Amino acid sequence: MEYRRKVWCWLCLVLATLMVMLLASGCGKSSSQGSKDAGAGNKGNFPEKPITIIVPYAAGGSTDSLARAIEKVWPKYCPQPVMIVNKPGAGGVEGREFVKTSKPDGYTLMIGYGSGEDLIGPQLQKVPYDPLKDFTPVARMSIHSTIICVPANSQFKSMQEIINWAKTGNHSVTASVSTATGNVNITMRGIGKVTGINIVPVPHQGGAQAVTDLIGGHTMLGGGSGNEVAPHIKAGRLRALAVDLPERDPAFPDVPTLKEQGINFYSWGSVKGIAAPAGTPPEVVNYLADVLKKVSEDPEFKEAMKNLSQPILYMGPDEFGKFFKEAYDYFGKLVKDLNITLK
């Protein structure tokens, strides 16, 4: 009897040990699977916190104004708010480098992708980012033309008068521009190359500062996007002389193009796109693009853009990516053909 009792106890101990091992194994599998499911759920629940849009320029310029217009309408179409953060510095380079090195999770974006610092600057100087490889296009929102202006009290009434004055006395023409690699700068340098006059660009930390200096008479010539110069034109502080697009800007129908005035130069303007760091998941990019498309179609946003003298020209990720590459190649050819340098 004693022998049977010992055998029975031994069997019970073995069975108990096996049960513990099976339960431990099952719990481990469940925990692992639960962790995977939680990870999958996190992707599906994007966004779970506020999204930051970096403006790589000072407040008050055309890019900043566009960002603020988006910020106001954004909550209608996204459960999480968007926060606008200005990171000016090094002519727009610092903000781009910040976004490039941010985690590619969709929570840090950049607006102004497609400006001169992306399409022109990297073809003129070494920068700490590759605009084609370090960013993922999300959406194009607008394209801003450059409206070339002089202070209201300037003696010049046309581009030809400026050209004649510069050539007659071998004078240099100072030009207030937003940044060293921005579209306004490339336009001024292009005008100088094709007309044979010496235009000396004076870079700033953004369009608003450049326009303020122009109004103050610190330079003879300057330019900016529609919303940067329109209020000052209407108030009589600036006089518009030309637009740098191939055709007249609908927001400024009375301002002739450079080509109309015999100056064989035009630009695509400053592209205002939104980008994420390279490696951002496609489903996150598509979600953000969809929100921005809805923003672009919103009546309140349309009215805001009209007041800013900025056209709405939305493109989704794939279409914008192709456009960006074409624009990059165009400006590369322009820089080479005009032999434009930053020296």
Side-chain angles (χ1 to χ4, degrees):
M1 179 68 68
E2 181 65 23
Y3 173 77
R4 289 181 179 180
R5 188 176 68 81
K6 289 183 178 179
V7 170
W8 177 250
C9 290
W10 181 82
L11 288 172
C12 288
L13 180 62
V14 171
L15 287 171
T17 302
L18 289 172
M19 287 291 291
V20 171
M21 292 174 64
L22 287 170
L23 286 171
S25 175
C27 288
K29 181 177 181 181
S30 175
S31 175
S32 175
Q33 185 62 46
S35 177
K36 290 180 181 178
D37 290 343
N42 286 338
K43 288 183 180 180
N45 291 334
F46 178 87
E48 296 182 314
K49 62 181 181 180
I51 294 166
T52 299
I53 295 182
I54 300 297
V55 179
Y57 311 105
S62 62
T63 305
D64 180 68
S65 297
L66 171 58
R68 305 292 169 179
I70 292 172
E71 178 187 30
K72 189 174 182 180
V73 178
W74 180 278
K76 296 182 183 180
Y77 308 105
C78 183
Q80 292 290 341
V82 67
M83 301 184 298
I84 308 301
V85 177
N86 295 85
K87 281 189 175 295
V93 171
E94 288 186 13
R96 284 168 169 79
E97 188 174 14
F98 178 86
V99 175
K100 167 196 167 181
T101 56
S102 296
K103 187 176 181 180
D105 54 8
Y107 290 104
T108 303
L109 308 175
M110 177 184 74
I111 191 166
Y113 183 61
S115 297
E117 289 68 44
D118 304 303
L119 301 177
I120 303 169
Q123 310 196 61
L124 292 172
Q125 63 181 3
K126 185 177 181 180
V127 293
Y129 58 88
D130 185 323
L132 297 171
K133 296 179 180 179
D134 291 333
F135 302 99
T136 298
V138 175
R140 188 187 77 179
M141 301 301 289
S142 182
I143 295 180
H144 303 171
S145 65
T146 294
I147 310 300
I148 300 166
C149 301
V150 294
N153 60 359
S154 171
Q155 68 186 81
F156 305 114
K157 303 296 191 297
S158 70
M159 290 300 299
Q160 193 58 55
E161 288 185 12
I162 292 177
I163 294 168
N164 292 342
W165 175 83
K167 287 185 174 180
T168 300
N170 195 28
H171 300 297
S172 295
V173 178
T174 55
S176 185
V177 304
S178 56
T179 62
T181 55
N183 187 69
V184 182
N185 187 21
I186 204 77
T187 291
M188 294 301 174
R189 290 178 178 275
I191 292 171
K193 285 287 184 180
V194 300
T195 61
I197 65 174
N198 183 31
I199 295 182
V200 182
V202 180
H204 294 72
Q205 284 296 320
Q209 295 177 5
V211 171
T212 298
D213 269 6
L214 176 62
I215 293 170
H218 299 293
T219 61
M220 300 172 59
L221 192 64
S225 64
N227 75 291
E228 290 169 341
V229 301
H232 304 296
I233 293 172
K234 293 176 182 177
R237 292 185 286 268
L238 290 177
R239 181 185 304 126
L241 299 186
V243 61
D244 69 347
L245 296 180
E247 299 178 354
R248 293 196 181 196
D249 188 326
F252 298 85
D254 297 329
V255 181
T257 65
L258 291 168
K259 299 197 80 170
E260 286 181 77
Q261 301 180 65
I263 302 170
N264 189 28
F265 177 87
Y266 72 89
S267 167
W268 279 11
S270 182
V271 179
K272 302 302 180 186
I274 293 177
T280 302
E283 62 270 23
V284 172
V285 171
N286 289 334
Y287 174 88
L288 293 167
D290 183 63
V291 171
L292 290 165
K293 186 175 190 300
K294 291 173 181 175
V295 167
S296 72
E297 297 170 346
D298 184 90
E300 184 181 359
F301 181 73
K302 289 182 178 180
E303 184 64 22
M305 292 292 278
K306 180 180 179 181
N307 292 335
L308 291 171
S309 300
Q310 296 186 17
I312 299 173
L313 298 167
Y314 176 87
M315 278 186 176
D318 293 338
E319 189 179 10
F320 180 35
K322 293 177 182 177
F323 170 86
F324 186 96
K325 182 60 168 60
E326 291 176 1
Y328 186 86
D329 292 343
Y330 167 81
F331 277 112
K333 185 176 185 301
L334 184 65
V335 166
K336 184 177 180 180
D337 289 348
L338 295 176
N339 192 28
I340 295 174
T341 68
L342 291 179
K343 296 179 180 180

